[in-house]
Amino acid sequence: MNDVSASYRLVAGAPDSPVILHVPHSSRVIPPDVRSGIVLEDAALERELDHITDSHTARIAATAAERCATEPWQFVNELSRLVVDPERFPDEREEMLAVGMGAVYTRTTHREELRPADHDGQRLVERYFHPYATAVTDAVTQRLEAVGRAVIIDVHSYPTERLPYELHGDGPRPPICLGRDAFHTPADLLAHAEKAFAGFGGTGVNSPFEGTYVPLKYHGSDARVSALMIEIRRDVYMSEPGGPAGPGLDALANALARLVDMASTAGVVRP
């Protein structure tokens, strides 16, 4: 894959929509030259992809977008997070380096070897991470210029049972985990999400995963950029670890569409 733009996809929404549905972890695609640097045999790699991939989340986002009164924009990672994880810090700020899962993973979800410990991930960071980050930043900038604000809704899923790589997995694992940021998540956006996803057996905040994704250009400095992470427990909509989607997917898409519509029309109230 020589064309780096093929590693992500921006799907245009309504010109007046402030919302970007960000889907970073839904793909299982690994380019052959990247695959050659992974030590797992094919069967083991497929099992790892079952565990690490947020399966069907791109479909949830796309289905929701079709059902919105004001269609949101979608930014979708077309490559597996085993290539690079675009939501990690690319340097020593990243706490997941402690388990070998910084921007370029060297360990698996079960803390086994994925790449050699001395693997130099800088080539992958330059080739994929930085262009992706630039493209997301540009998408947010375009919403700010067009609408005056941007709302990033980060669409993820997580396993029912804690995996060994999780640093903060000892807390509650609700059907819907809402990741909030003290600066970028307005109180009304969080409340809208709690209302939209109320029908799945409960929501929680920042457990087992916390925070949300905001491009570094705007992180902690521009209140016009709001953000919220939606983490869906996988038993709500699919067979685990990497099986097919079930009927829960359609209901989740409806809930996400309700959230997008509320976020599209609501004013921004700081926490």
Side-chain angles (χ1 to χ4, degrees), residues 121-259:
Q122 192 58 36
R123 181 180 65 87
L124 294 177
V125 169
E126 294 296 334
R127 182 178 176 186
Y128 294 112
F129 184 96
H130 289 317
Y132 186 103
T134 297
V136 178
T137 301
D138 290 346
V140 171
T141 300
Q142 290 166 10
R143 292 302 86 215
L144 292 175
E145 292 174 347
V147 190
R149 64 188 183 101
V151 183
I152 303 167
I153 299 177
D154 216 19
V155 185
H156 292 259
S157 70
Y158 75 100
T160 303
E161 300 295 330
R162 180 180 183 175
L163 290 173
Y165 83 93
E166 296 180 27
L167 293 179
H168 308 290
D170 53 350
R173 302 180 81 84
I176 306 294
C177 165
L178 304 174
R180 71 178 296 271
D181 176 85
F183 184 86
H184 287 284
T185 308
D188 64 339
L189 181 58
L190 183 63
H192 291 328
E194 290 171 337
K195 181 178 180 180
F197 287 95
F200 296 94
T203 62
V205 177
N206 281 352
S207 178
F209 299 97
E210 66 180 54
T212 189
Y213 177 76
V214 175
L216 290 177
K217 177 179 178 179
Y218 298 109
H219 187 262
S221 62
D222 196 330
R224 298 176 301 164
V225 180
S226 301
L228 179 73
M229 178 171 66
I230 309 295
E231 284 272 8
I232 306 163
R233 203 177 65 202
R234 291 175 187 159
D235 63 339
V236 173
Y237 74 97
M238 63 173 284
S239 298
E240 296 182 83
L249 186 145
D250 192 66
L252 286 164
N254 285 336
L256 182 57
R258 289 193 295 270
L259 172 59

Side-chain angles (χ1 to χ4, degrees), residues 22-28 48-60 80-81 85 87 154-159 165 209 229-232 234 237-238 241-242:
H22 182 222
V23 187
H25 296 156
S26 65
S27 177
R28 297 172 69 99
E48 178 62 14
L49 286 167
D50 286 345
H51 289 296
I52 200 64
T53 304
D54 292 351
S55 299
H56 315 297
T57 49
R59 182 178 161 196
I60 293 172
S80 169
R81 64 197 292 191
D85 190 331
E87 295 206 320
D154 216 19
V155 185
H156 292 259
S157 70
Y158 75 100
Y165 83 93
F209 299 97
M229 178 171 66
I230 309 295
E231 284 272 8
I232 306 163
R234 291 175 187 159
Y237 74 97
M238 63 173 284

Side-chain angles (χ1 to χ4, degrees), residues 91-140:
D91 52 35
E92 67 281 352
R93 289 172 293 177
E94 180 52 59
E95 69 169 353
M96 294 301 291
L97 285 170
V99 290
M101 298 180 86
V104 178
Y105 297 177
T106 58
R107 310 295 288 185
T108 72
T109 51
H110 290 73
R111 301 201 180 195
E112 297 168 350
E113 186 180 42
L114 179 74
R115 292 181 173 96
D118 61 354
H119 175 80
D120 182 3
Q122 192 58 36
R123 181 180 65 87
L124 294 177
V125 169
E126 294 296 334
R127 182 178 176 186
Y128 294 112
F129 184 96
H130 289 317
Y132 186 103
T134 297
V136 178
T137 301
D138 290 346
V140 171

